[in-house]
């Protein structure tokens, strides 16, 4: 079960909150970027960035020069991952909605200093964005590692919201001569585009060609 | 030109910052949801939500009950819209990246009270999510309007970041026998799914069937 702190207990639309841990993992594991919120000089700042998960820990990274931005005032962060699945077209403007799955994680980001955990965190980040690449391309050099800050965030305080299905209209609106339903939003991988600098004879490997 | 305040002057990767106002509009106008960041009790909170634009103003909405969440401590918000266009596959883990377009808007959200501006803001929100629906479905009733808070955010302090193209690798890595390039991410509309409650004979209108 997900934790239920004041921040993650939804005040509104409770029926859309899921307390299934598997839903949380599914939403996180199928995402590509998160939106990271920090407080900088008392103001909110939201930036898109990559992430990876190992068990109950989310890993984020950045250049060492940008660490202050990433941890903000006091290290409190909010990480949100959203999948938009479709537009819910109702019989009235008011009941329009979206089908989506989103995860929100709150906590204090911890700067990872242990070399093994840093490497595992970077591998998780890399595999989230581009599965199979960690074992295929050149691994980080010592210099590259030194330039990279790895942050860890516990999934202890997390919530998931999911909306599926068609519109819920007002009783009297069902008689309107108006089409209603869902317009699905579909995301897919296109054809790999080779780097012009690539020598002849190097084809894209299966993990790129047939990425799910 | 976009404003250049300390918050929107990027400290890092300046080559990815665009100062073209048209880029800002393009990124905002082609998005479906934004990630809204607020500060609540000193902590960052990031929620996905709809939005719409009219000229130099972004409109957000929420139930009147959730207004405090949306404006947070002091009304300062950060709105971020991100389009993910592809995964940049480099010859080393370190140079992996993503192609994306993102807009970040900072400012103090203003609660809209003028009835005409409220209606125009709601229309912009509705048309952003579901173009053509405002003139097709039932408009908001007085009761529904009373339950909806409309917020306005000036685009005065905004920045855009765009990354396009292939990987930039280390000089010595170009000799590696490794495929490199871009795996594009493609988003498209699926087939409209009719609400099971729909009476026979009502087909989806053109603005839904042929949405761009």
């Amino acid at each position: 079960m997900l934790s239920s702190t004041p921040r993650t207990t939804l005040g509104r639309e409770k029926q859309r909150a899921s307390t299934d841990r598997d839903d949380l993992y599914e939403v996180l594991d199928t995402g590509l970027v998160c939106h990271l919120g920090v407080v900088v000089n008392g103001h909110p700042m939201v930036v898109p960035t990559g992430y990876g998960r190992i068990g109950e820990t989310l890993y984020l990274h950045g250049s060492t020069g940008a660490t202050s931005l990433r941890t903000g005032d006091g290290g409190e962060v909010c990480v949100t991952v959203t999948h938009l699945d479709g537009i819910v077209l109702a019989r009235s403007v008011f009941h329009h909605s979206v089908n989506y799955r989103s995860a929100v994680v709150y906590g204090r980001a911890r700067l990872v200093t242990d070399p093994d955990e840093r490497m595992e965190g970077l591998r998780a980040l890399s595999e989230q964005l581009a599965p199979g690449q960690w074992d295929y391309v050149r691994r980080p050099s010592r210099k590259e590692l030194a330039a990279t800050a790895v942050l860890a965030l516990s999934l202890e305080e997390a919530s998931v919201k999911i909306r599926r299905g068609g519109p819920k209209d007002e009783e009297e609106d069902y008689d309107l001569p108006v089409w209603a339903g869902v317009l699905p939003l579909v995301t897919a991988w296109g054809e790999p585009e080779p780097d012009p600098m690539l020598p002849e004879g190097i084809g894209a490997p299966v993990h790129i060609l047939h990425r799910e």
Side-chain angles (χ1 to χ4, degrees), chain A:
Chain A
M1 299 283 282
L2 298 188
S3 73
S4 184
T5 68
R7 284 194 294 197
T8 56
T9 305
L10 299 162
R12 307 192 58 79
E13 304 183 349
K14 287 193 174 62
Q15 75 279 10
R16 291 184 191 162
S18 166
T19 47
D20 190 336
R21 204 75 188 167
D22 290 337
D23 283 347
L24 175 68
Y25 296 156
E26 194 270 340
V27 169
L28 292 175
D29 293 354
T30 56
L32 293 164
V33 296
C34 65
H35 280 80
L36 168 67
V38 296
V39 180
V40 177
N41 300 326
H43 294 206
M45 177 181 276
V46 179
V47 289
T49 190
Y51 67 95
R53 181 179 76 88
I54 301 176
E56 289 296 300
T57 305
L58 218 58
Y59 289 95
L60 305 165
H61 72 334
S63 74
T64 45
T67 311
S68 62
L69 180 150
R70 299 191 174 277
T71 53
D73 302 351
E76 283 281 347
V77 304
C78 174
V79 169
T80 300
V81 174
T82 305
H83 302 271
L84 195 57
D85 297 322
I87 310 294
V88 181
L89 302 160
R91 293 159 181 87
S92 67
V93 166
F94 189 75
H95 286 291
H96 275 60
S97 187
V98 292
N99 282 339
Y100 69 100
R101 293 161 289 138
S102 79
V104 180
V105 185
Y106 294 101
R108 193 173 286 269
R110 165 176 65 87
L111 185 67
V112 180
T113 52
D114 176 77
D116 292 342
E117 189 186 3
R118 273 169 57 81
M119 199 60 99
E120 283 309 302
L122 288 174
R123 177 207 275 265
L125 274 149
S126 175
E127 290 294 294
Q128 178 94 20
L129 201 64
Q133 289 290 91
W134 185 264
D135 289 331
Y136 177 63
V137 305
R138 178 175 65 73
R139 300 257 175 100
S141 67
R142 191 176 295 203
K143 189 179 154 195
E144 288 169 347
L145 283 173
T148 308
V150 180
L151 297 166
L153 178 64
S154 165
L155 292 180
E156 206 177 327
E157 199 179 339
S159 64
V160 183
K161 275 178 86 176
I162 296 174
R163 192 205 187 281
R164 294 191 180 97
K168 303 276 176 288
D169 274 302
E170 296 296 323
E171 206 52 46
E172 60 269 29
D173 289 338
Y174 281 93
D175 294 332
L176 294 175
V178 166
W179 189 90
V182 173
L183 186 61
L185 194 64
V186 184
T187 303
W189 298 110
E191 284 291 308
E193 299 167 353
D195 183 3
M197 298 285 285
L198 207 62
E200 267 190 65
I202 302 185
V206 169
H207 69 268
I208 295 170
L209 274 177
H210 300 297
R211 178 164 183 179
E212 279 179 31

